[in-house]
């Protein structure tokens, strides 16, 4: 990474412990050289995979500085090990400046598979700074025998296809995309979200605030008790919310699946936190 001007003082939350006991290194002229600056990895997080990667790095690379960045959309986030910052960067330019000011050596984009904007910003910032970037993406779901899946590219396309598939929808696409369904007055929605959604949203709906993981018996009960006849989901992958797919299969109801956006071109992808940690080791960013 190109040499930069001395960065400003870091906030206390992000400061690594001072090396008060490390012996000084003598140079050839007899002057004491300062201890080396710890390598710094930025994890763009907010997912189970991001938290697991932080746990691996903090446990097995104590000399590595790990900063977790959370978008701040969840009211009470569970902070992972390492330092944390909450909030946006101000677009690709703001992220570029932050990477340089904080001497970041590698970035792992472990955001939600549908967090397109931050993934795009990370790719732009990495290209500008030359800092290595990896996308950590959990594997998507694969249909099983008996599934009736209907793939669509966007939430708007899902809203357009919904009327032909059912009248009582279990909507599990998160609270930020409800506007796409707000005009569907002929459909009743059970909307599940971690935090309370905001308008615009469907007129005929019931809000269920809940955080996964969810069990198969729980999902069966929701579908039965609310007489659900169609499930709408993003292709998020992971085990925490997968039981709803099995419950839909058992109930014989169709599933509208919003496909993932692609990872930015040229960005390598790891399918697990362990693979991401190995990628960092290969590049000398983690012991």
């Amino acid at each position: 990474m190109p040499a930069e001007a001395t960065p400003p003082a870091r906030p206390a939350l992000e400061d690594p412990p001072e090396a008060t006991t490390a012996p000084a290194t003598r140079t050839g002229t007899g002057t004491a050289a300062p201890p080396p600056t710890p390598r710094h990895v930025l994890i763009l997080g907010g997912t189970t995979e991001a938290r697991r990667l932080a746990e691996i790095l903090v446990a097995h690379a104590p000399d590595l500085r790990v900063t977790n960045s959370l978008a701040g959309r969840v009211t009470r986030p569970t902070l992972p090990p390492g330092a944390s910052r909450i909030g946006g960067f101000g677009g690709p330019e703001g992220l570029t400046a932050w990477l340089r000011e904080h001497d970041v050596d590698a970035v792992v984009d472990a955001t939600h598979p549908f967090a397109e904007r931050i993934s795009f910003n990370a790719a732009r910032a990495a290209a500008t700074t030359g800092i290595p970037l990896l996308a950590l993406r959990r594997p998507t779901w694969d249909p099983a025998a008996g599934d009736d899946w209907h793939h669509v590219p966007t939430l708007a396309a899902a809203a357009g296809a919904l009327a032909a598939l059912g009248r009582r929808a279990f909507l599990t696409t998160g609270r930020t995309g409800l506007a796409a369904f707000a005009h569907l007055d002929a459909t009743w929605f059970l909307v599940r979200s971690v935090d309370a959604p905001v308008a615009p949203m469907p007129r005929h709906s019931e809000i269920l605030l809940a955080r996964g993981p969810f069990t198969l018996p729980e999902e069966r009960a929701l579908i039965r008790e609310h007489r659900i006849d169609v499930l709408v989901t993003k292709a998020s992958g992971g085990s925490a919310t997968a039981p709803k797919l099995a419950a839909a299969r058992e109930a014989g109801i169709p599933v509208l699946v919003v496909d993932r956006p692609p990872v930015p071109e040229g960005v390598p992808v790891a399918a697990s936190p362990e693979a991401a940690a190995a990628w960092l080791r290969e590049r000398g960013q983690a012991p």
Side-chain angles (χ1 to χ4, degrees):
M1 189 173 63
E4 297 291 338
T6 302
R10 302 181 175 96
L13 183 62
E14 299 172 355
D15 279 342
E18 294 185 5
T20 57
T21 59
T25 301
R26 296 287 175 177
T27 66
T29 59
T31 58
T37 302
R39 286 162 292 174
H40 188 186
V41 172
L42 173 66
I43 301 175
L44 303 174
T47 61
T48 302
E49 292 75 22
R51 180 177 183 83
R52 176 57 184 150
L53 176 59
E55 291 172 347
I56 292 172
L57 296 180
V58 170
H60 299 287
D63 294 332
L64 181 69
R65 182 178 172 213
V66 177
T67 298
N68 303 276
S69 178
L70 307 178
R73 293 180 178 177
V74 177
T75 304
R76 295 181 299 275
T78 301
L79 298 181
S84 295
R85 66 173 304 280
I86 298 177
F89 291 94
E93 295 80 9
L95 179 54
T96 296
W98 197 95
L99 296 177
R100 287 173 168 162
E101 291 168 5
H102 293 81
D103 294 325
V104 173
D105 298 291
V107 179
V108 178
D109 172 15
T111 56
H112 191 277
F114 284 82
E116 289 183 83
R117 181 174 299 178
I118 185 59
S119 294
F120 171 79
N121 291 347
R124 285 275 304 274
T128 300
T129 60
I131 295 173
L133 169 67
L134 175 73
L136 172 53
R137 294 289 185 271
R138 69 186 74 144
T140 190
W141 297 310
D142 293 319
D147 280 329
D148 181 17
W149 288 10
H150 302 258
H151 288 269
V152 290
T154 64
L155 289 172
L162 189 55
L165 295 175
R167 301 293 294 273
R168 297 184 65 84
F170 185 13
L171 189 57
T172 64
T173 55
R175 69 187 181 106
T176 59
L178 295 182
F181 302 89
H183 64 288
L184 299 180
D185 291 338
T187 304
W188 181 89
F189 292 89
L190 175 62
V191 179
R192 185 164 67 191
S193 175
V194 174
D195 291 317
V198 295
M201 57 184 295
R203 183 196 309 179
H204 306 296
S205 59
E206 178 179 332
I207 308 302
L208 174 61
L209 299 182
R211 185 193 300 269
F214 305 105
T215 67
L216 181 55
E218 290 171 337
E219 303 294 59
R220 285 173 179 153
L222 283 177
I223 289 175
R224 181 180 65 254
E225 293 168 5
H226 294 278
R227 296 179 287 116
I228 300 298
D229 58 11
V230 59
L231 168 66
V232 185
T233 182
K234 292 178 177 179
S236 301
S239 60
T241 58
K244 64 187 174 185
L245 302 172
R249 183 188 316 125
E250 292 179 357
I253 65 174
V255 181
L256 264 173
V257 181
V258 181
D259 290 328
R260 292 180 179 185
V263 172
E265 185 177 357
V267 177
V269 179
S272 69
E274 292 76 14
W279 181 86
L280 289 168
R281 284 195 298 271
E282 290 169 1
R283 281 148 188 80
Q285 304 305 330

